[in-house]
Each structure stands twice: as structure tokens, then as C-alpha cells.
Amino acid sequence: MVTQTFEKRNRGEKILATSARAALLAALVMLGSLSSSREAAAGAGAAAAAAAADGAAGGGLAVCATNNGKALYDCVANVVDKLGGQLSSANMGSTRSALQTAASQLRAATNKAQALSAISQCRALISGALRQVRALGGKYVEGWGGGGGGGSGLQAIVGVLSHAARLIQSKG
């Protein structure tokens, strides 16, 4: 009788331990999928913000094309600053900081060389992060918001900066 009670308790503990392991595994799988979704959403959000910054709608770079000199630098600075402000995801902090620094340098620029330098420095930082994302197979790189799409958000931001550099080169 005592042996049967001991065996029942032992079986109950084994079932409880197995259930606890299964619940822990399920929780870890769910957390992993949420993390991937968040990264993909950050990349998609950055790509959408970059598309808006590149176009005429909402005062993008296309609107800046009507300006020259200091007015152009200020217009581009406003677009770059707005783009940085739209990167609300916590894992896009370094990208946002690089864009805000570029905007500040553009506002301070008094000639084409200074304006191009501000854009080039920012583009180099973000392009470096994009290379890291691609080297890791599109996985998230801390602080740069690589996203699940192989850095599509970063690529779009680099495209906006390239467009800004072309504008400054031709009209600055």
C-alpha cells in the first residue's frame, strides 16, 4: 500500500514537471515570435517613413527641390528631422540619433560642402549598419532596427539620404 502511494506521488511529480517544461517551452516560442514581429514591424515602419520623406506628400524631399542654397539645406534638414522623429520604435534609437545629428548639421551648414558632409556622415553610419544586418542574414542589429526584411527600413533611409545628397549636389 505504501509503495503504491509512493509510485502515484512519483508519477504525479513527473507529470507536473513535464507540464511545467511544456509550458516554459511554449512561452519561449511565443516570446521569440513576438520579438521577430516587432523587428519586422520596425523595419516596415522605417520603410514607410522613408517613402513619405522621399515624396512630395507631407513635405518630403520632392518639395525641397524648388529651393536653392541655405533654403535647400533647411528644407532637407526638416525632412531628415521629421524622418528621424517618425522612427518611434525603441530599437531604432541609433538610426534616429544619426538622422537628428545630420539635421542639426544641415541647419548649421553655410555651403554645399558642409551640407554634403552632414548627409554623407549620416549615410555612412546607416550604410555600415545595413552591411552588418546583411552579414547576419537580415537579423536585427542592436540599436539599428534591422527588421525582419534584411534591413529594408535601413535601405529605404539610405535611399532618402542619397536623394538628399543628389539634390544638394545639383541645387546647393
Side-chain angles (χ1 to χ4, degrees):
M1 182 79 115
V2 174
T3 308
Q4 286 179 343
T5 304
F6 181 72
E7 286 176 7
K8 284 182 183 177
R9 186 170 21 146
N10 201 11
R11 257 186 291 168
E13 288 173 359
K14 286 180 184 179
I15 291 171
L16 183 61
T18 302
S19 298
R21 278 189 226 117
L24 180 61
L25 180 63
L28 289 173
V29 167
M30 286 174 38
L31 281 174
S33 67
L34 288 175
S35 174
S36 298
S37 299
R38 190 184 76 220
E39 292 167 16
D54 210 20
L61 287 176
V63 172
C64 295
T66 61
N67 297 316
N68 291 314
K70 183 66 176 153
L72 174 63
Y73 313 151
D74 289 341
C75 183
V76 171
N78 291 337
V79 170
V80 169
D81 204 20
K82 183 177 178 183
L83 174 59
Q86 290 175 335
L87 303 178
S88 60
S89 178
N91 60 354
M92 294 293 284
S94 296
T95 303
R96 182 175 42 249
S97 176
L99 290 168
Q100 290 169 341
T101 299
S104 174
Q105 290 173 345
L106 279 165
R107 286 189 184 97
T110 57
N111 58 45
K112 183 191 294 190
Q114 291 172 341
L116 285 172
S117 176
I119 294 292
S120 295
Q121 288 173 17
C122 184
R123 189 173 53 189
L125 283 170
I126 297 173
S127 292
L130 183 58
R131 280 190 297 278
Q132 286 180 333
V133 168
R134 289 182 175 154
L136 293 172
K139 294 181 181 147
Y140 172 73
V141 174
E142 182 63 37
W144 288 96
S152 61
L154 292 175
Q155 181 63 48
I157 292 170
V158 168
V160 169
L161 294 171
S162 296
H163 183 193
R166 286 190 306 274
L167 263 178
I168 292 169
Q169 186 67 41
S170 67
K171 300 188 117 266

